[in-house]
Amino acid sequence: MSIVYEENSRLGYFGHDIICLIADGKTESAETILKHICKGDIVHYIINKYRDVENIDAAIYEQNDYSNLETIFEKYYYLEITHDVKARIGITDLEKDGMLILLDIILKELSGE
């Protein structure tokens, strides 16, 4: 399996987990998501926090090195609430819709934007 395909597959898998979390009613603030993107640990933060959620298979993340996914999100360290999150992505509930930031990044990366 090529590295590019493998990274896209892992990113898609993480995206699916984000969708499952949102569907399960889990929320994160935009501020928290942006803070962890800047720290370079957003994937680990989400997986560790929600490891006990039924649809999340934390063992998959433990068996594989998902640190390369952190570098994908780290490229978005510059995102800010006013310009990017509210205006460009269109998020209005900053307290509950932070995970939509992750979906926005995942869609951009998988589509090659």
Side-chain angles (χ1 to χ4, degrees), residues 71-85:
T71 60
I72 291 171
F73 289 99
E74 284 174 351
K75 295 186 299 189
Y76 295 88
Y77 71 91
Y78 61 85
L79 292 177
E80 61 179 34
I81 299 283
T82 307
H83 179 264
D84 299 298
V85 174

Side-chain angles (χ1 to χ4, degrees), residues 3-19:
I3 292 172
V4 172
Y5 177 78
E6 185 175 318
E7 284 182 12
N8 283 346
S9 176
R10 289 179 179 186
L11 186 60
Y13 186 83
F14 182 63
H16 181 266
D17 284 345
I18 296 299
I19 291 169

Side-chain angles (χ1 to χ4, degrees), residues 22-78:
I22 292 169
D24 197 39
K26 306 301 183 209
T27 64
E28 291 288 333
S29 72
E31 183 178 337
T32 298
I33 294 298
L34 294 178
K35 177 182 83 172
H36 284 282
I37 287 173
C38 285
K39 283 177 63 176
D41 71 347
I42 189 62
V43 176
H44 290 87
Y45 167 75
I46 293 292
I47 297 308
N48 288 332
K49 181 172 181 178
Y50 297 107
R51 70 182 315 103
D52 295 329
V53 172
E54 183 179 343
N55 292 324
I56 303 299
D57 188 357
I60 294 289
Y61 291 93
E62 292 167 3
Q63 293 168 3
N64 297 289
D65 181 16
Y66 280 79
S67 298
N68 60 338
L69 290 183
E70 300 290 10
T71 60
I72 291 171
F73 289 99
E74 284 174 351
K75 295 186 299 189
Y76 295 88
Y77 71 91
Y78 61 85

Side-chain angles (χ1 to χ4, degrees), residues 28-31 81 85-86 91-98:
E28 291 288 333
S29 72
E31 183 178 337
I81 299 283
V85 174
K86 287 174 98 177
I91 294 174
T92 56
D93 191 340
L94 298 175
E95 288 303 311
K96 296 196 307 189
D97 289 340

